[in-house]
Amino acid sequence: MATVLLTGATGYIASHTWLALWAAGFDVVGVDDFRNSSPQVLERLAELGGRTPVFERADVGDAAAVNALLDRHRIDATVHFAALKAVGESAEVPLAYYRNNLGGLFTVCEALRARRIGRFVFSSSATVYGEPERLPLVETSRVGATSPYGRTKLMGEQILGDLATADAGWQNAILRYFNPVGAHASGRIGEDPRGTPNNLMPYVSQVAVGRRASLSVWGNDYDTPDGTGVRDYIHVCDLAEGHVAAVQRLLDAPGSFTVNLGTGRGHSVLDVVAAFAAASGRAIPYEIRPRRPGDVAACWADPGLAEQLLGWRATRDLASMCADAWRWQSHNPNGYDT
Ligand code: UDP
């Protein structure tokens, strides 16, 4: 059975991917330095998976640590999640974003290349498309990220593309995530942002549970059906299964690919508020505020290429995303520190 290295392994998407890989029969070696996640995740994974997670605490920017752990474990493929991900913060501290996101990528790729471990899955983002020219977004749509965070993802894709061109033994699966939300159906793992959430669903969850008074809706004058921003929200468990399919494809077939991981459906901010209120039975007070700088009106995927290449598509709807996010939030009102 193949073993998959997960960097940033105790983060939100990675922890769900860890469980999905186990469920598909893979072994996993996880690496994280807990700078943005909790060690509690490992206990929850052990409980849900019925096995002990193999875990190494390390910073992926630390070449000696990465090389040492690769000497200890036999790895067949890597899923590289480790990165900083706050769009707004990236504009305030761009060097930290370039250093972490690109420096970590270099360190991990160099260590893997030295060992000829060439199957590499990269966490990219729909943010690489910037302002969409037309919808839905296809993988050949024009790219042009508008934040330092987005540019670290776009540059990461380009660096990996150059690597695959130069090295016949290197294969990339570049996964452009749309808006991951929800939680594992058990309610035992989920998204646990530090401080005030930047993203819509965790903010709405914290309003529903009473941790925050009201949601600010960033603009209701967009050219969308109800004037609020439209996004392609995807259940984190669907996204996790997309990673498993991508790893399997790298093992089964030569070559590299870039795919959107989305549902193909857009929902507005007010759709999310209504769906979350229905799922939780709680009121979600909100106020309309000015647009948030850098936001686009609407963004959704054409997920057809992922279905064609990977035999994968998202199956969980917005009601299930909200129900699962609410189960996680209501059972763990303070996240992993509950
Ligand atoms: N949004 C909002 N209030 C918030 C957070 C987000 O109205 O507190 C809106 C945001 O303007 C966008 C959508 O919700 O239209 C999704 O934003 P999020 O930050 O979750 O993801 P993005 O697509 O920006 O990466």
Side-chain angles (χ1 to χ4, degrees):
M1 186 37 70
T3 301
V4 181
L5 174 68
L6 297 188
T7 72
T10 44
Y12 170 47
I13 303 171
S15 55
H16 291 79
T17 300
W18 193 326
L19 278 184
L21 284 164
W22 273 353
F26 290 94
D27 288 327
V28 174
V29 175
V31 187
D32 205 299
D33 63 1
F34 301 126
R35 86 175 58 183
N36 201 18
S37 61
S38 167
Q40 283 282 322
V41 171
L42 297 171
E43 290 168 33
R44 304 280 177 102
L45 288 172
E47 166 200 317
L48 292 169
R51 55 196 283 194
T52 305
V54 177
F55 180 77
E56 299 269 1
R57 182 172 188 161
D59 171 355
V60 294
D62 178 345
V66 171
N67 279 293
L69 77 89
L70 286 175
D71 287 339
R72 286 194 289 273
H73 303 278
R74 192 191 54 82
I75 299 296
D76 300 290
T78 303
V79 187
H80 182 57
F81 289 104
L84 302 175
K85 62 171 185 181
V87 174
E89 182 188 60
S90 78
E92 289 156 25
V93 288
L95 291 180
Y97 272 68
Y98 289 112
R99 176 176 291 286
N100 274 281
N101 293 6
L102 297 178
L105 181 67
F106 292 141
T107 305
V108 171
C109 289
E110 281 164 356
L112 291 170
R113 263 203 92 200
R115 291 166 178 77
R116 303 190 192 289
I117 308 169
R119 299 183 191 96
F120 196 82
V121 181
F122 181 60
S123 294
S124 190
S125 165
T127 197
V128 300
Y129 293 117
E131 181 77 49
E133 263 179 322
R134 70 180 69 85
L135 294 166
L137 287 157
V138 291
E139 289 79 359
T140 50
S141 294
R142 183 196 59 196
V143 292
T146 55
S147 68
Y149 162 73
R151 281 188 280 276
T152 68
K153 292 298 175 183
L154 189 51
M155 289 176 193
E157 290 192 3
Q158 291 163 339
I159 291 162
L160 290 167
D162 289 341
L163 184 46
T165 302
D167 180 348
W170 190 271
Q171 285 175 270
N172 294 312
I174 290 172
L175 308 182
R176 292 179 175 160
Y177 310 154
F178 280 67
N179 288 61
V181 297
H184 191 260
S186 64
R188 298 295 287 160
I189 60 170
E191 186 169 16
D192 183 18
R194 299 239 163 115
T196 308
N198 296 306
N199 296 111
L200 179 64
M201 184 78 82
Y203 203 104
V204 168
S205 305
Q206 293 191 6
V207 173
V209 84
R211 241 170 107 175
R212 306 199 182 264
S214 129
L215 170 72
S216 295
V217 174
W218 305 127
N220 69 346
D221 57 352
Y222 285 106
D223 182 17
T224 60
D226 65 19
T228 65
V230 167
R231 296 290 183 277
D232 185 339
Y233 296 95
I234 176 169
H235 196 296
V236 67
C237 292
D238 278 327
L239 192 60
E241 290 163 9
H243 289 74
V244 177
V247 168
Q248 194 60 55
R249 166 86 190 190
L250 291 178
L251 291 164
D252 292 344
S256 295
F257 56 90
T258 299
V259 292
N260 289 335
L261 295 183
T263 67
R265 285 204 57 186
H267 293 287
S268 73
V269 176
L270 296 182
D271 289 339
V272 172
V273 168
F276 207 96
S280 63
R282 301 286 178 95
I284 315 287
Y286 66 86
E287 287 158 61
I288 306 294
R289 303 268 188 205
R291 293 181 179 193
R292 183 170 68 176
D295 274 355
V296 301
C299 173
W300 67 87
D302 177 341
L305 185 62
E307 179 156 16
Q308 187 190 318
L309 280 181
L310 309 180
W312 167 92
R313 73 188 170 87
T315 60
R316 296 159 176 93
D317 64 9
L318 183 61
S320 129
M321 299 177 212
C322 293
D324 291 337
W326 175 243
R327 191 174 303 105
W328 157 252
Q329 181 69 61
S330 55
H331 292 183
N332 307 269
N334 296 309
Y336 288 106
D337 294 333
T338 309

